[in-house]
């Protein structure tokens, strides 16, 4: 009887040992992993910030004389004086950088206020402007001087190329001799103001 128990205990011990070895081997196999694959991430930023600037080399200057305003020589569309000035915007940045900007006009409040001749409000003192940028849809159509205030060009764009990009705006002011008495509107007066770039977003 003792011999049978001994054999039975031996068999049980061998079975427990086999189960332990198999279990340990399975756990070892189950926990083996391979993590050699990689996914790289690289980010590069520009070494310089976009530089947007504006300048002017030529202002508008009109001088209207008595001779220019001889009533007998006047009529619809007769120019008494006209001149143009420029405003240049430049952008130096990484190629493809786009900046949007506005151009505003501010009257010099220390000078004369303009009140058009009645009946000729849209024919007497007009200002217009456009740029040399191909495809630019923004412009200033002929606008009477007293209504020229605030943003006169909105949403203009400039795009950086492989070198500094330049866009030149040309503004033209014209005073007409209408062949009527215009002294109340224009006589013995000085009108001043300035165009400037405003609200730049790059």
């Amino acid at each position: 009887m003792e011999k049978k128990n001994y054999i039975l205990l031996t068999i049980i011990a061998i079975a427990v040992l086999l189960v332990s070895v198999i279990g340990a081997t399975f756990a070892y196999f189950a926990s083996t992993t391979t993590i050699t694959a990689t996914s790289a991430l690289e980010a590069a930023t520009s070494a310089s910030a976009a530089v947007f600037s504006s300048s002017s080399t030529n202002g508008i200057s009109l001088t209207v004389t008595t001779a220019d305003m001889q009533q007998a020589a006047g009529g619809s569309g007769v120019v008494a004086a006209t001149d143009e000035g420029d405003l240049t915007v430049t952008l130096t940045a990484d190629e493809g950088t786009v900046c949007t900007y506005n151009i505003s006009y501010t009257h010099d409040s220390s000078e004369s206020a303009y009140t058009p001749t009645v009946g000729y409000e849209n024919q007497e003192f007009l200002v217009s402007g456009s740029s040399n940028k191909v495809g630019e849809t923004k412009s200033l159509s002929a606008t009477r001087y007293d209504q020229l205030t605030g943003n006169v060009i909105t949403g203009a764009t400039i795009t950086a190329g492989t070198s500094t990009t330049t866009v030149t705006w040309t503004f033209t002011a014209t005073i007409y001799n209408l062949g009527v008495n215009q002294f109340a509107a224009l006589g013995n007066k000085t009108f001043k103001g300035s165009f400037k770039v405003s609200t730049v977003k790059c």
Side-chain angles (χ1 to χ4, degrees), residues 32 85 157 167 189:
T32 300
T157 60
V167 174
K189 294 187 178 180

Side-chain angles (χ1 to χ4, degrees), residues 66-76 78 177-182:
T66 303
D68 296 324
M69 296 301 287
Q70 291 293 309
Q71 194 166 346
S76 178
V78 175
N177 178 353
L178 303 173
V180 298
N181 186 346
Q182 296 172 257

Side-chain angles (χ1 to χ4, degrees), residues 30-76:
S31 65
T32 300
T33 58
T34 301
I35 55 170
T36 57
T38 61
S39 178
L41 185 152
E42 182 178 339
T45 61
S46 174
S48 61
V51 178
F52 181 100
S53 63
S54 63
S55 62
S56 178
T57 59
N58 181 30
I60 298 172
S61 178
L62 296 177
T63 301
V64 182
T65 67
T66 303
D68 296 324
M69 296 301 287
Q70 291 293 309
Q71 194 166 346
S76 178

